Amino acid sequence: MGEYALLYILFAPFAGALALIFVSNRQPLLVRSIAVSAAGVSLLASLYLFYAYDPVKGGFQFVQKVEWSRQLGISLHLGVDGIGTPLVLASAILLFAGIFVSWHIKDRTKEFYIWLLILAAATIGVFMSLDLFFLYFFYEMSVIPMYLLLGMWGSHTKKYLEMTDPEGLKRRDSVGFILNFGSNSKEYAAMKLVLFLSAFAVVALMGILLIYKYAGLNTFDILVLREQANLMNIPVLGTTLDKIIWVLVFFGFASIAPLWPLHSWSPVGHAAAPAATSMLHAGVLMKLGHFSIMRVAFEILPETTRELMPIAAVLCMFSIIYGGFVAFYAKDTKYVIGYSSSSHMGYVFLGMAALNYISLSGAVIYMFAHAMATGMLFAMAGWVYDQTHSRDIPSLGGLSNKMPFISACFVVACMASIGMPGTVNFIAEIMIIIGSWNKYPLQVIVAMLGIVLTLAYLFKMMRGLFYGPMSQKYSHAHDAISTVDRLPLLVMISISIGFGIFPMHLYDVVRSGVDPLVARITRVVPVAETGEGVEMRRSQATTPENSSAPLASHKSISYTPQVSREGRE
Amino acid sequence: MLEELTAGFPILSCILFLPVVGAAVLWLFDEEDMVRTSALTIALVELALSVFVLLRFVPESAAMQFTERVRWIPALGISYHLAVDGISVLFVGLTAFLTVLVVVYSWDTIRHQVKLYMMCLLALETTTMGVFVSLDLILFFVFWELMLIPSYFLIKLWGGGAERHYAALKFVLYTLLGSVFMLVGIALLNINYHEWASLHHTDQTYSFDLLELLTVPIPVSQQLVIFWLMFLGFAFKAPVFPFHTWLPDALLEGPIGMAVVLAGLKLGTFGFIRFSIPLLPDASKSETVVMVVVVLGLCAILYGAWMALVQVDFRRLLAYSSVSHLGFVVVGLFALNYQGLQGSLLTMINLGFSTAGLFFIAGFLYSRQQTTQLAAFGGMAKQVPLLATFFLIIGLASIGLPGTNGFVGEFLILLGAFKAKWWFGAVAVLGVIFGAAYFLWYYERSMFGPLGAAVKGTMSDLQPREKIIAVSLSVMILWIGLYPSPFLRIMNGSIQALVDRVSQETKVSLEGNGFERRY
Amino acid sequence: MSDLTDLLIKLIPVFPLLAVLVNGVLGHRYSHDMAHRLAWGSVGLSFLCTVIVFIDVMRTGASHEVIAYQWIFGGDLAINLAYLVDPLTCAWLLVVTGVGFLIHVYSVGYMHGEAGFTRFFTYMNLFMVSMLLLVMGNNYVVLFIGWEGVGLCSYLLIGYYYDKVSAAKAASKAFVVNRIGDAGFLVAIFLIFINFKTLDYTKVFAQVGQLSPDMATAIALCLLLGAIGKSAQLPLHTWLPDAMEGPTPVSALIHAATMVTAGVYMIVRNHAIFDLSPFAMSMVAFVGGGTALFAATIGLVQTDIKRVLAYSTVSQLGYMFLGCGVGAYTAAVFHVMTHAFFKALLFLAAGSVIHALSGEQDIRKMGGLSSRIPWTHRLFLIGTIAIAGLPPLAGFWSKDEIMAHAFTHQHYLLYSMAACGALMTSFYMFRLTYLTFYGSSRMDHHTAEHVHESPMIMVAPLMVLAFLSIVGGVVLGFPPEHGWLHGFLGPVVGVGSEHEASAGMVVLLMGIAIAIALMGWGLAHFLYVVSPATADGWAEKFSAAYRILLNKYYVDEFYDLMFVEPLKRLGAMLDWFDRTVIDGVVRGVGRITDWGASGSTWIEKHIVYAGLNVIGYGNHLAAREGRKMQSGMVHHYAAIIVAGLFLLVLVVQLFAPM
């Protein structure tokens, strides 16, 4: 059964959704158990996938290929490499956790779970698609459920960043609306999210179609395209086509990532969404952007990537600081977490921009790590909201007495989010630093300051929620006591810390995916070693832009210390 | 017999994890007395283990001892590498010792959320121990950062002041700000190792291991960058003037137990002597670095003392006196000669008894008057003669009176500073005068003179638990002051290796010379 | 014998130390009797050991170096806790333990009934330990332990009546002022180590010749600073008069007989270094001469019996420094010893007076006591004569020797300073005696009723001291420059000088000295016995000068104005600086973050969001209309897709020709 793992992972949620259609909403337990089992199958299979993936062999494994349209060259081509595997696992974990987090949803439970399962399945589909058509298909498919989930089960976010009474605000139309965002209703959020993402998806689609057309291979298959497509040096509009395609693909997908300044759909979307949706949304949906950029732009246009990736390095700084600043100012728990997510995605872009083994692996691990951390935060913000019906930080406070378990978990989640050592985030962070320093020292420093900023706003929020005096109206709030409520948090915490302490396999898997990619882009040949891990050795033939200043200084001096010292003095 | 039994026994891991496991066990208890007793038991067992390590430690040796090494994340060159040498082993004992005292002190002074408090305290002990015994920089960083969590909560939840939230956050942000720079520095060390190793085709291409990093050369320009990055991390934590403003707040607002740990265990300066100086010898001895750092140290000495002179709150005074003492330590460290390093190391240990001791005294005062403001005291020597006596003994140690531990350290530092540049020493000596001035002035106003208006008519003298603390601290103070031989012998070997490392011109080759001798 | 001597040397400081420990820890458990027996007993044992050691040293002329244990070591530094007992040390040991013993015994009576009786003796014994370490150490660091140790004990004992504000202040002042000197001493130690790579006396002095003159001067001046602090010389003299807040035996032991002479000991011990630097020598001499004169003038008008003695101590210490400065080391040591006898005697007798008057110290409220407390009177008179410098009492010999040495070595200015000082010394001491013991009583009758002679335990030590004051000079230092002490100390401080004075000159100078002393006496007699009103008249007449003297030249006020207050003000300024500037920067960073945050949020709202909303406004209206109908939404969505595809086709077609 092993080789069909991808199919189980992908179709178990779909199957669950399908099954749910035939179940009455009057049997909530049955509804939930179906959803849980679907997610459980998916989770187990993805765990199997994660551990069965052979990092030494590398490449795409568990490949499934079903032809769909010979004329158009479309086939359902599934397969995971070292980059996709952890993201599939993260999606499955968050789906599983999300189902438990939304255990208490009373309103149209069945529909909720159906859409949630579809959302997750579509996301997972992107991570394993090896065909551009299906990649786009799943990508779009993940957006539709978001709309419904937000529109139906979401919550109004009242006023935008500072929460005054929304009802007092009458000027709902025309310029008044435009500037004061009085109407952050869930419908509005859903609308904005969907329109925004769709619009940019179209941009990406244009890029994809251009690839399809100009490759002239009559196939959407990524594996074929990356080997055979020759898109370089076709002059268009004063530049070359590959650059245009790259830009389309990059910004099309970067909108969901979200890269500054394309982020504004995301916090409001997070804020309006129910907890489980936010988790999936911030945890994995955003990573679709990075992943698709890697899969499409990096794989098919390596040369162009090398040339244009510095754009991301510049924008990521804005992402980090800007997102951090807004999060610092925000007074709504979900806005804080939402903007923190968009800030943290800057780290991923930084890791991607540096384009070397360590930093890119760091970026991938960071995606995985961030999925866990932000998932926890959203789950807990959701819990607090469910208990108090408030997300307004200034009006909350003192909840740690009422909910010690949640507040303890919250600390862990904050720590994970800032990359406290011992969590997997830290591993990712240090890899990004190591990898990016030679190329982008300024960005690394900015990123580090971003960590401090993260701590500042997360602690501010933690203090606002859990410490200080408590309002009497929250006296009925209670802790997560039952196993069902605690399970998702415990799962995510143990994953986060477990991989923080034992990241070896994760690292190996990611490296096996990243190495060939980086090798393609930088033309530096990795020398795989047997034995522990997949260790790369930088070839002597480094390309000029990849050779770093310290390295050059090393080369200029002899390594005999005596000589080197004389040389220096 | 005992030796055979203990050979290969991972005693450092036990020391490292006993408190945190103990903290987890505390979770199971509900009764407060049970919690206290268990916490004390754990702390005492920890102390016993530490003393065992100290006794079994081979003195006059530069070797890393009790080494435990497991490859942890081989791909990144991160390993679980614990060991102690003459530089760190004393801190292990000191940490265990202080934790016992803090538990004893907190016995009846902490009245709410006792369990959580003890758990935080024990967790803090683990992380502190971790900082001292880690030889892998990432492992070190892990503990360094984890320390923030219990510290934050200790200050925030059990602090006495109104501003404790602010103080806690300030402390955490300040430290974190420094440590992210340090993390970059650590990463640069690793990158440097990697580049060197790739060119030399050695098997392992990444390493964060101190001992391995020591074997590769680092260009001076690179060393300087790394030095300043790490300097920020350590200087913020230490804190070195002018990065000190979190300290008075944290010490004033936090609980006494936290203040004892913060002021007693000099992690920042330990970082310098453990990592900065051996790893970056060329940067450490470069003219700019020495001048900048030593001048900062000298400023700290005078500035801290001066500030202490005018403080009316005893804990603020102690905070500034800590700044002043750290100035001494920094000056000693960057004198970069034997006496300077030895004196700094000893002074770091000493402060664990004297400054921490004064914080206990502040705690004793606090528990009698619910404040450490000067206005609440006056003429108390008559009311609480024993308290006054121990106050004086510990205070004199802190101002470096001969015969107390403070003198030995201070003398060595000053001598080292003098050897480096005469005016380093000459300026630092002024600190000796001011030290006496601020301490005695405060002592005079709080303990001597007629009974203060706010002093209650009846005030109990030291309670048995307080006596235990005061006496044990005094014993240590006099022991190190009068017969420091065991302590000096423990540290001498490592200090010598460090001096060799710093002074030798050609020590950065892979094969055995200088620092590598110890391994 | 040698082994025994070594053992005894080790034991000398151990006895008082044991007493400290026992009394300190267990003192509150047993009676005062037990405590004081332990205290003086231990000092007595030390004295016995000292005597035996002394005899051994005197007999063999050898010096003993005994290492107790290794103290501070590492690298090129090795400091032992070790003792060096040579003739110089012996001289001091005898004074310290001998006079110390007597004062301990005296204290038993004096301190009887005090609340902190045990505490007192603990501190006194601790002082003995420190003082013994100071004089016995074989290296500078052990000397420094003792040096600071005696400072500590002085602090503790001055602050013995700690509930008195003045006592508490005086204690702190003493310690801090001492510390200024100590800092200088520390610097000297470092310089010595850097130059010699060792801190042991013997090794240092063996290679002292290599020292460059500049370095020698630097070291000597730093040492001098230390000595000035400890021996209360100008300009660090201000702590000693204030130190009189302590109990009188303390004043006698610490602030007259032993501790304050430590500076002299240090200079004599380091004479090899001083000898290399003429400049430093003249500094020593002028500091000494200046202080001798300066303190004497203040002594003229003081009204507190102990303060007069205090200033006289400062003045006498000036003589000792002067002696050192002109190279008369033996004479300086000689004066230390005789001074120890008669000043201890004077202080203790003064203590006896105070004891008799139930604590009264103001001489204006005394008078006519000679008949009420005859023994005290006689003993005090002996002390007065001794200090005034009338032969054959002790003070004469030693002071004269210093002055003679200065004269014969052509230090005429110093000689004249010393001579003026001697005149004033004689005057104010007799003034003190007259005002205290003669004339009519000015006591209030309540005090007068309770006047009583002190008990035997207080008087007996006085008698011994008086005896020593009478014969000490002759025994130790007769004939001048060739006495027993000179022979004994010769190996340490060097014998002989090139300017051997002729016998006639010696006699002449003696005559002058006697004349000066008699003049002072006569003047005092005239002013306070013959014509008591004149004194007040003079005070009227020279009221400005009188007030200056009465206020000790306003030195304290000057220091307060120049150093203490600015220091405090600077501290306050720094405090402001710390809170406003340094912490301000920190808070500023926080505020910048806040600004950044609100600015970013503003951009988010007014640019990013508003911009999008403008675009989305139309859609939004539609969304409001069809809020309940999800199909409408999907419709919109589909419309977008279609529009996108249309765009795409357009683009493709546009590019197609290429």
Side-chain angles (χ1 to χ4, degrees), chain C residues 99-114:
Chain C
V99 177
F101 174 70
L102 294 174
I103 294 173
H104 271 75
V105 172
Y106 172 90
S107 306
V108 175
Y110 187 84
M111 298 303 288
H112 181 76
E114 291 277 353

Side-chain angles (χ1 to χ4, degrees), chain A residues 147 174 188 209 322 339, chain C residues 604-605 612-613 617 633 648:
Chain A
Y147 181 80
S174 75
Y188 169 80
L209 291 176
Y322 184 90
Y339 275 104
Chain C
E604 182 80 357
K605 274 164 83 171
L612 278 174
N613 281 349
Y617 183 48
M633 300 302 112
L648 181 76

Side-chain angles (χ1 to χ4, degrees), chain A residues 178-491:
Chain A
I178 290 167
L179 284 179
N180 71 25
F181 333 101
S183 173
N184 285 321
S185 62
K186 56 189 181 183
E187 291 84 1
Y188 169 80
M191 198 68 202
K192 180 171 185 177
L193 183 147
V194 171
L195 286 180
F196 198 101
L197 291 184
S198 306
F200 275 89
V202 170
V203 174
L205 180 62
M206 275 153 63
I208 288 172
L209 291 176
L210 286 175
I211 293 173
Y212 177 71
K213 179 169 170 66
Y214 284 92
L217 296 168
N218 193 30
T219 180
F220 282 99
D221 196 315
I222 293 170
L223 297 186
V224 179
L225 283 169
R226 73 167 182 182
E227 297 304 328
Q228 298 174 15
N230 183 10
L231 297 161
M232 303 296 292
N233 307 324
I234 304 170
V236 172
L237 296 177
T239 174
T240 50
L241 180 63
D242 60 310
K243 290 205 178 94
I244 291 186
I245 297 175
W246 193 89
V247 168
L248 289 174
V249 169
F250 181 80
F251 283 102
F253 288 125
S255 66
I256 201 173
L259 182 63
W260 187 88
L262 308 178
H263 61 277
S264 80
W265 61 272
S266 99
V268 69
H270 290 131
T277 318
S278 303
M279 287 165 63
L280 275 168
H281 185 175
V284 288
L285 214 66
M286 282 179 164
K287 280 83 182 176
L288 292 184
H290 306 106
F291 178 81
S292 306
I293 289 170
M294 281 191 222
R295 197 40 44 99
V296 181
F298 281 29
E299 291 276 9
I300 300 176
L301 297 163
E303 309 268 323
T304 324
T305 303
R306 206 169 66 217
E307 215 171 310
L308 294 181
M309 209 50 197
I311 297 174
V314 175
L315 291 178
C316 75
M317 284 195 294
F318 290 94
S319 270
I320 292 169
I321 293 301
Y322 184 90
F325 273 158
V326 181
F328 189 79
Y329 196 79
K331 293 180 179 59
D332 178 311
T333 49
K334 282 192 163 182
Y335 270 122
V336 174
I337 305 168
Y339 275 104
S340 94
S341 294
S342 91
S343 165
H344 288 175
M345 288 304 99
Y347 295 79
V348 180
F349 275 111
L350 176 59
M352 285 164 69
L355 285 176
N356 71 38
Y357 303 110
I358 288 289
S359 77
L360 195 56
S361 318
V364 176
I365 296 179
Y366 199 95
M367 290 191 236
F368 180 84
H370 179 257
M372 296 304 129
T374 207
M376 284 186 263
L377 285 174
F378 270 119
M380 282 178 284
W383 181 269
V384 171
Y385 180 72
D386 288 345
Q387 296 300 318
T388 62
H389 300 288
S390 172
R391 298 200 307 257
D392 182 26
I393 298 173
S395 73
L396 292 164
L399 292 175
S400 71
N401 293 329
K402 287 285 169 195
M403 32 185 88
F405 176 77
I406 292 286
S407 67
C409 291
F410 200 88
V411 177
V412 178
C414 285
M415 293 305 140
S417 195
I418 64 163
M420 184 60 84
T423 61
V424 65
N425 302 55
F426 174 71
I427 306 289
E429 214 172 88
I430 182 112
M431 286 169 75
I432 293 176
I433 297 172
I434 294 173
S436 323
W437 174 265
N438 284 339
K439 227 169 169 183
Y440 299 117
L442 174 68
Q443 276 84 341
V444 169
I445 295 291
V446 168
M448 291 296 100
L449 294 176
I451 291 177
V452 181
L453 197 56
T454 309
L455 182 94
Y457 61 71
L458 285 179
F459 270 41
K460 197 175 150 195
M461 173 163 79
M462 178 164 80
R463 185 178 138 198
L465 292 184
F466 295 109
Y467 303 100
M470 192 188 75
S471 162
Q472 269 311 302
K473 64 182 165 183
Y474 303 133
S475 53
H476 61 275
H478 62 84
D479 201 6
I481 294 167
S482 65
T483 321
V484 170
D485 296 332
R486 288 188 173 191
L487 187 66
L489 290 174
L490 292 177
V491 167

